[in-house]
Each structure stands twice: as C-alpha cells, then as structure tokens.
Amino acid sequence: MADNGTSFVFILVSIVFMSMTPRSTCNKLTDTEIKHLCAKTNNVGGCYKLLKSDPRIANVDARGLAEISVDLTSNKANKTHSLLNSFVNATHDSRLKNIYKLCSSNYNDAIRDLKAIKNYLHSGAYKNIPSQVKDASEEIKQCKKVYGGANSDRAHIKKKNQEFELLISIVEVTSENLNKN
C-alpha cells in the first residue's frame, strides 16, 4: 500500500501532465463541430457521411478526427493505386498503359505524402501538414489532367480522383483545425 506522500506525488504528476496536454487532444468533438469543419470542404454532406461512417468517430478529439481523415484518405489512395496497377497489367493499349502508369505514380506519391502527414500528426508537428496536403492534392490533379484525355472504359478512375479530392480536403480542414488550437 502506498503512503500518502507517494499518492500525493502521483496526483501532482497527473495534474501537471493533464495541464500540459493541448486542448485539441482532450475534448471530444460534437456533431455540430464536425459539421462546422465539413462546411469548409467542397462537399459538406459527403464529408459528414464519410467521417460518420468510421466507428472511431464516436469518441474522438480534434487530433483523432485528423487521424481518421488521413486513414480514410490513405485507404482510398491505396485502393485506387492498386486498381491503376491492375489496369497497367490488364491493358495492351500502350497509350492507356502509360496513362495508368503515370496516375499510379501520382497516387504512390500521394500515399507517401499521407504517410508524412500521419507522422506529423503523431509528432505534433501540425504546422508541417499543409504543405504535404498541397503536395498530395497536386499529385491527384496531375492524374486528373493526364487521365482527362483518356477515352477509356475506366471512367470510374475519374470518380476515384473526385473522391480523393474530397478526402484530402477533409484532411486539410481537420489539420487546419489543429493549427488553430
């Protein structure tokens, strides 16, 4: 059994630790706050629906919301990257194969940017996130530009690019929210 001195020290250390924890990582976000953040994206309803589809959202703070948005975006990017790679292997049309390779490379680079964002979230280096968000967005814009000229039966890649753009905009607003705290 601990003596009163040890208990007092433990309580004191706990209080000091809690007081040093940033506000953004302590408070559970409300639905209203999530909707307010989604209002800053290009698709309020789509943003809210995507975020609420993740069961982790129930008890999440601002940093947790940013992590969830990065996870959702990374999952989408990885699936699209795999799909593009399968198209590269399945097509015999050299022009389409080149387009798929270029877009696959863009998604690979966006995935790398998302990994960097995740690392910045874990380290608390929130101010570094916007440049990585911009880089990931630019990668997909390049894919859209290259893919835009492709007259192919793979039109759902255009939809995947739009979905990624929504997701990366969610990453942008959730990470901006961390920089404000």
Side-chain angles (χ1 to χ4, degrees):
M1 184 168 169
D3 66 9
N4 287 340
T6 305
S7 297
F8 176 75
V9 170
F10 177 74
I11 291 170
L12 184 61
V13 169
S14 297
I15 291 170
V16 169
F17 177 75
M18 288 188 303
S19 69
M20 291 176 13
T21 305
R23 199 183 116 241
S24 65
T25 61
C26 297
N27 300 327
K28 178 183 164 198
L29 291 176
T30 65
D31 272 358
T32 303
E33 290 170 315
I34 294 169
K35 287 177 184 174
H36 177 74
L37 287 170
C38 284
K40 297 175 184 178
T41 68
N42 57 2
N43 182 342
V44 179
C47 168
Y48 186 75
K49 183 178 175 183
L50 280 166
L51 290 174
K52 292 301 274 186
S53 72
D54 192 300
R56 297 175 294 171
I57 199 97
N59 293 306
V60 74
D61 60 7
R63 181 175 161 217
L65 183 64
E67 287 188 35
I68 289 170
S69 68
V70 172
D71 289 347
L72 292 170
T73 308
S74 294
N75 290 340
K76 177 62 72 179
N78 280 306
K79 287 178 184 175
T80 304
H81 182 250
S82 294
L83 183 63
L84 285 162
N85 286 338
S86 72
F87 291 165
V88 167
N89 295 328
T91 189
H92 300 292
D93 180 327
S94 61
R95 187 180 69 79
L96 280 178
K97 188 178 284 257
N98 189 44
I99 290 169
Y100 297 146
K101 282 182 181 179
L102 289 170
C103 282
S104 174
S105 176
N106 292 130
Y107 270 92
N108 187 58
D109 290 346
I111 291 165
R112 180 200 63 226
D113 294 327
L114 290 162
K115 286 178 183 173
I117 291 168
K118 190 82 166 193
N119 288 335
Y120 290 141
L121 281 171
H122 288 172
S123 70
Y126 306 141
K127 68 182 183 336
N128 297 330
I129 295 173
S131 66
Q132 295 299 142
V133 168
K134 183 178 185 241
D135 290 349
S137 295
E138 288 301 316
E139 291 297 339
I140 304 315
K141 285 179 186 173
Q142 288 300 313
C143 176
K144 280 178 63 174
K145 186 177 178 180
V146 169
Y147 203 87
N151 187 14
S152 129
D153 61 340
R154 311 274 196 225
H156 56 282
I157 292 297
K158 290 180 183 179
K159 184 177 184 215
K160 302 279 185 202
N161 287 339
Q162 290 170 338
E163 291 168 353
F164 182 89
E165 287 179 321
L166 171 59
L167 286 162
I168 199 69
S169 73
I170 296 170
V171 171
E172 180 178 22
V173 298
T174 58
S175 63
E176 284 174 355
N177 188 49
L178 292 173
N179 281 318
K180 291 180 182 177
N181 291 326

